[in-house]
Every structure is written in C-alpha cells, then in structure tokens.
Amino acid sequence: MGQLGAFLKIGRVENPEREPHERVGDFREFVGTLPLVELQQQGARCMECGVPFCHNGCPVNNLIPDWNDLVYRDRFEEASIQLHRTNNFPDWTGRLCPAPCEASCVLEIREGEAVSIKQIELAIANRAAEEGWIRPQPPTTESGRSVAVIGAGPAGMACAQQLRRAGHAVTVYERDEAGGGLVRFGVPDFKIEKTVVQQRVDQLAGEGVEFRFGVEVGRDIDVAELRSSHDAVVIATGARVPRDLPVPGRELDGVHFAMDYLYGRNRFIASGTEAAITAAGKHVIVIGGGDTGADCVAHSHREGAASVTQIELVGEPPVSRPDDITPWPRWPMKLRIPYALKEGGTRDFSISTTHFEGNGKVESIHWAQNSGAHPFELVTGAEDSRPADLVLLAMGFLGPEGALLEALGVEKDERSNAKASPLKYATSVDGIFAAGDARRGQSLIVWAIREGRGAAAAVDRFLAAKA
Ligand SMILES: Cc1cc2nc3c(=O)[nH]c(=O)nc-3n(C[C@H](O)[C@H](O)[C@H](O)COP(=O)(O)OP(=O)(O)OC[C@H]3O[C@@H](n4cnc5c(N)ncnc54)[C@H](O)[C@@H]3O)c2cc1C
Ligand code: SF4
C-alpha cells in the first residue's frame, strides 16, 4: 500500500493547467500532470481501504489502489500493465473522464480530499506512450471467425481490440475518415491531441484489426452483404441524433447543431480545411450546459468571438455535494465550473429560449427565466434578449440514428436505443450485438470502453457456442 498515514499529512493537489489567457491562443492540450516526486506523494495518499469503493465507482473497474501503490514505488511499467488489464485506452480516460472513481474514494467522505486518481492514471498512460510500452499485442492463434464492428468510437475500438486479441478476424466499418468517434471529432484538441487517439488506431491496426474508413454501413455497404460476410456484427454507432429546439426563428441562418460546429473545428485543426461555421468576431450563444456546450464555448474563445454566452435550462445546482440527494459514494449533482468558462464568457441557469429574431439570418435570442425544474414554468416579467450572430444547440442527444437499426431489423428500447441487456449485449436479432452510446444512450468514454469490452466477451461466447 501507499505510505502509512500519508493522507493525514499530504493534501490533494490538482493537475497543473496552463493559464487561461495563454492557452486560448492555441489548440494544444492545457492539462498536465505533477512532477514525479509530487505525483508519487499523491499516490501515497491512497489508503488501500479494506473495501476500495473507487474500484466500483470506476465503470471499467480499474484496480486503482494497486497502481496508486506502484506509482508511489516508481514501478511505472508494472502500473501500466495493471492499468491496461481493465482499460483499453487509459490515455483517453486519464484526460477526459469526469472521474466517478474520485467521487467514491473513501477520502472523499470529506469533500474535496479524494486521491487524485485520474491524474495518476494519466501519468501512467503518458509514461507508457513515452517508453514505447503501447505496443500491438496480436493474437497467437486464429479462431477462423470474423466479426464486423460498425463504428470506430471508443466502444467499437475497445470491442475490436478485445475480439482481435481473442483471435477473431475483425473489420471496423467507420463512415468518418479516421478512427476515434467523438473522441476525435467531438472533443477538441486542447482536451486531447489527436496523436493520442491515433496511437490507439495504430495499435489496433498493428494487432490485425482491419479499418475501413469512409464506409457508412447501410449506404456504402448494405446490411445483407455485411451479415453474410461476417459471423457476428456489433453496432457501436453512438447516439448521434441531436435534441432540437422547436421555437420560432429556429430556421434562421446561423442557428446550428453543436456537432456541426465541432466536427468542422476538429477537421480544421487536423487538416486546415476551412469550416462552414465560424464563431470569429460573432456574438455566440451556446444553448446547453454540458460537455458539448463547454467545448463550443472554448472553441469560440480560440476563434476570437465578440462575446460568448452559455445558457442552461435547469436551475443552478448547489456548490457542494447535496448529501440528501447524492450522498457519498454516489456521483454528486453539484455545481462545476467548466474549464471553458475559466477562459471567459458567462453562463446563466434556469433559462428557457422563447424565440430567435432576424432577417433571414439570426440577430437576437429571446428568453425568459424559468422555475429551474420540470415543468419549467416561465417567470412573468423575467424576459430578456441578447444579440446573437451564431447560436449553437448543445442540448444532448436523443439516441442512435434509426435507419441502420431498422435495416438490421433490431428492436429498439423505449428511448430508441438498440435494445440489448448490459450483461449479454445481444440484440433481438441472433448474431447482432450493441454497445456504447448506441445501446446505453448518450454517456461517457469510460462507459463506452466498458460496453465495448462487455460486448466483445458476449460475442466471444456466442462464437464459441456455435463452434
Ligand atoms: C462534444 C462532446 C464532448 C464530449 N466530452 C466528453 C468528455 O470530456 N468525457 C467523456 O467521458 N465523454 C465525453 N463525451 C461523450 C463521449 O464522447 C461518448 O459517450 C463516447 O464517445 C461514446 O462512444 P461510442 O463509441 O459509443 O460512440 P461514438 O464516439 O459516437 O462513435 C460512434 C462511431 O460510429 C460511426 N458511425 C455511426 N453510424 C455509422 C454507420 N452507419 N456506418 C459506419 N460508421 C458509423 C460514427 O461516425 C462514429 O465514429 C463528449 C461528447 C461530445 C459530443
Ligand atoms: S477511467 Fe475514469 S473512473 Fe476509471 S479510474 Fe480512470 S478516471 Fe477514474
């Protein structure tokens, strides 16, 4: 275990971040890790509790106390081996996970004192990349079976890696020009540089996974052909149908879904291709207070927007953990200041958009304060308006695109996701499985990885039973 009683002497230290005024001038990552000695001290704070709740709080059940101790002892290669046993892409989660493990760390019973688990995970993953420990691990025997994975997001890629390592031939069909799904085309470079995504695509390719980029299943290859050329199919297409805002003026030029903006920005950074939607010099309104909204705010800063305002329908949460609603070790529903707002802009809660105005092109947004919770009644006399040249709708996603599920004949659940139990990942059609946001609904990278691993195990059992 870490150093006995270290948690009593050493306080939690957050990841170092580049200064907001400096980082908005480029697209490089802005979060780092502590120098080695300080990082080891953070690892030493782990108490190796009798019942490590962090391990259960982590969706992939990372063996956190084990690698905290290995980092404390400067045994990074063993820490990397241990970390990769449960997590295919710790370099992605170390950067992007909201760290539910930390919310359930026993030290977090006193709020704000959790072991800095995510930072330690990132340091191990970075060291693994620097030392060349992220190598292909191709299988030693071939099963003779073949699996199609539709979608190269974290769910599809984790699934493909597990299946390939079990000896199956795996083809990943991806409509985008490169792998990573939302981690590549949704999340900005300043949160994860795309070399970090590519190192995993290369690793999978080195293991023998075949990627077919620029191929949309259902359009470029029909589902009957897909089924006849593979023994099993995994749907990992994400939840890409965005929630719309049906208010007067929605049709005006300049009102866009956030993903159209973010895909354009990510492609611009990757290849210099000028994007159709730009925030440069504009009054930008971002509707939606989640991760997607924050990423739109941050891109707008880097583009030199005239002003950036983020609005959120629901009320402002409490500043500290509400013990009656989300007690430890549950994920606390409390106020968090997104990184993007540290860089500038404002955020308002309990706001309902009533309409947009403009002459062909949006010029202003009109809203009213609401009651802060369902059914969001409008407060009379609390109407307001702001200039708006660009409005980005970042209000979440409703589920996967229906056409592919229909073409495959897969039953949907009540939320329109592919219907499959989290234990079996099998859909209503024999030989077709589903994982990630396409099955679970809009979620997190770490859940997508868990789902990809779970679906791979289910496919492996299915293929073994058919042998
Ligand atoms: C802007 C934004 C920021 C986010 N930030 C974070 C964050 O910081 N931390 C976090 O944990 N989570 C974050 N998330 C959520 C996270 O990215 C997703 O939960 C995760 O990527 C889901 O993985 P997935 O593999 O299920 O789906 P996706 O990542 O959506 O990948 C699905 C893939 O399937 C492909 N596809 C779809 N249909 C077809 C077809 N018919 N044929 C071929 N290919 C197809 C798509 O092109 C895509 O590449 C963010 C989401 C967004 C939108
Ligand atoms: S993947 Fe997320 S929840 Fe799991 S250990 Fe890493 S930061 Fe924590």
Side-chain angles (χ1 to χ4, degrees):
M1 62 175 288
Q3 200 185 86
L4 198 63
F7 68 95
L8 295 170
K9 296 174 251 163
I10 303 167
R12 174 185 165 95
V13 180
E14 303 292 340
N15 300 56
E17 289 186 4
R18 290 163 61 206
E19 285 300 324
H21 71 269
E22 185 249 319
R23 71 197 194 207
V24 292
D26 60 57
F27 302 114
R28 286 183 295 111
E29 285 180 10
F30 64 86
V31 178
T33 54
L34 293 168
L36 180 61
V37 173
E38 286 178 62
L39 191 80
Q40 287 176 303
Q41 286 183 340
Q42 292 299 300
R45 294 185 67 239
C46 183
M47 303 187 290
E48 199 164 329
C49 331
V51 180
F53 283 76
C54 56
H55 157 82
N56 285 319
C58 169
V60 290
N61 303 122
N62 274 339
L63 301 163
I64 297 163
D66 292 17
W67 41 258
N68 278 339
D69 184 56
L70 288 165
V71 165
Y72 167 60
R73 296 177 196 287
D74 200 8
R75 287 159 53 181
F76 273 82
E77 189 163 8
E78 288 162 78
S80 169
I81 292 166
Q82 188 71 298
L83 178 53
H84 282 91
R85 286 205 167 110
T86 50
N87 190 350
N88 300 64
F89 312 128
D91 37 353
W92 300 4
T93 50
R95 287 172 169 80
L96 300 170
C97 188
C101 55
E102 294 184 7
S104 60
C105 171
V106 170
L107 283 176
E108 186 62 17
I109 292 174
R110 284 176 37 180
E111 204 175 352
E113 295 197 4
V115 174
S116 21
I117 299 167
K118 175 178 164 180
Q119 179 173 186
I120 293 170
E121 181 177 39
L122 176 59
I124 299 168
N126 283 347
R127 181 77 177 269
E130 283 156 25
E131 300 281 353
W133 298 331
I134 301 179
R135 283 188 292 265
Q137 296 170 33
T140 47
T141 55
E142 298 290 336
S143 72
R145 300 305 183 115
S146 141
V147 184
V149 176
I150 313 175
M157 283 185 54
C159 184
Q161 185 162 61
Q162 296 297 106
L163 284 167
R164 182 64 200 131
R165 288 180 176 180
H168 307 300
V170 182
T171 307
V172 179
Y173 296 86
E174 169 54 59
R175 69 180 169 200
D176 287 335
E177 65 274 28
L182 287 173
V183 184
R184 186 185 286 262
F185 290 104
V187 184
D189 280 59
F190 34 90
K191 280 168 67 182
I192 183 166
E193 285 176 21
K194 299 306 146 60
T195 49
V196 179
V197 180
Q198 189 58 35
Q199 75 179 347
R200 293 302 178 170
V201 177
D202 293 343
Q203 185 189 34
L204 264 71
E207 289 169 358
V209 171
E210 185 191 349
F211 285 99
R212 294 194 53 195
F213 293 120
V215 176
E216 178 166 337
V217 176
R219 186 193 65 189
D220 304 312
I221 174 169
D222 95 18
V223 296
E225 188 188 335
L226 189 82
R227 289 227 62 191
S228 63
S229 40
H230 299 283
D231 298 302
V233 172
V234 180
I235 303 166
T237 51
R240 294 299 190 91
V241 178
R243 182 173 285 110
D244 208 341
L245 184 63
V247 298
R250 163 67 181 90
E251 73 291 351
L252 289 167
D253 191 16
V255 183
H256 300 278
F257 287 119
M259 287 314 297
D260 294 335
Y261 174 63
L262 293 174
Y263 255 76
R265 294 307 304 156
N266 276 310
R267 285 194 168 119
F268 168 76
I269 295 165
S271 62
T273 321
E274 214 46 67
I277 308 169
T278 171
K282 294 181 179 168
H283 294 291
V284 180
I285 306 286
V286 178
I287 305 184
D291 276 339
T292 308
D295 293 343
C296 290
V297 169
H299 266 301
S300 301
H301 293 324
R302 281 160 183 75
E303 277 206 274
S307 70
V308 189
T309 307
Q310 187 177 17
I311 57 174
E312 169 58 49
L313 178 70
V314 301
E316 186 166 348
V319 280
S320 51
R321 179 177 65 211
D323 284 329
D324 49 337
I325 305 168
T326 49
W328 179 91
R330 292 179 57 195
W331 177 252
M333 302 309 287
K334 65 176 185 181
L335 184 70
R336 294 177 176 84
I337 308 294
Y339 73 99
L341 286 178
K342 293 182 196 162
E343 298 168 353
T346 58
R347 178 172 61 173
D348 285 315
F349 289 91
S350 306
I351 301 288
S352 294
T353 304
T354 54
H355 61 286
F356 303 106
E357 282 181 7
N359 189 7
K361 216 180 155 320
V362 68
E363 289 167 12
S364 59
I365 180 171
H366 297 255
W367 68 54
Q369 201 85 40
N370 68 40
S371 52
H374 194 73
F376 299 106
E377 278 152 14
L378 301 190
V379 178
T380 35
E383 296 86 10
D384 201 356
S385 70
R386 298 272 164 93
D389 309 308
L390 174 66
V391 177
L392 298 171
L393 307 178
M395 303 177 303
F397 299 87
L398 300 172
E401 292 151 45
L404 179 66
L405 301 186
E406 281 143 32
L408 288 165
V410 165
E411 222 177 287
K412 299 178 200 170
D413 67 13
E414 62 289 349
R415 297 167 304 162
S416 299
N417 300 327
K419 189 172 178 182
S421 85
L423 288 178
K424 300 192 172 135
Y425 297 92
T427 68
S428 55
V429 179
D430 194 43
I432 302 186
F433 297 77
D437 284 8
R439 189 201 73 78
R440 189 185 157 78
Q442 171 189 3
S443 188
L444 297 173
I445 293 158
V446 64
W447 275 110
I449 296 170
R450 178 199 168 120
E451 295 249 323
R453 295 171 67 89
V459 171
D460 193 47
R461 284 193 296 272
F462 168 80
L463 294 175
K466 277 184 79 177

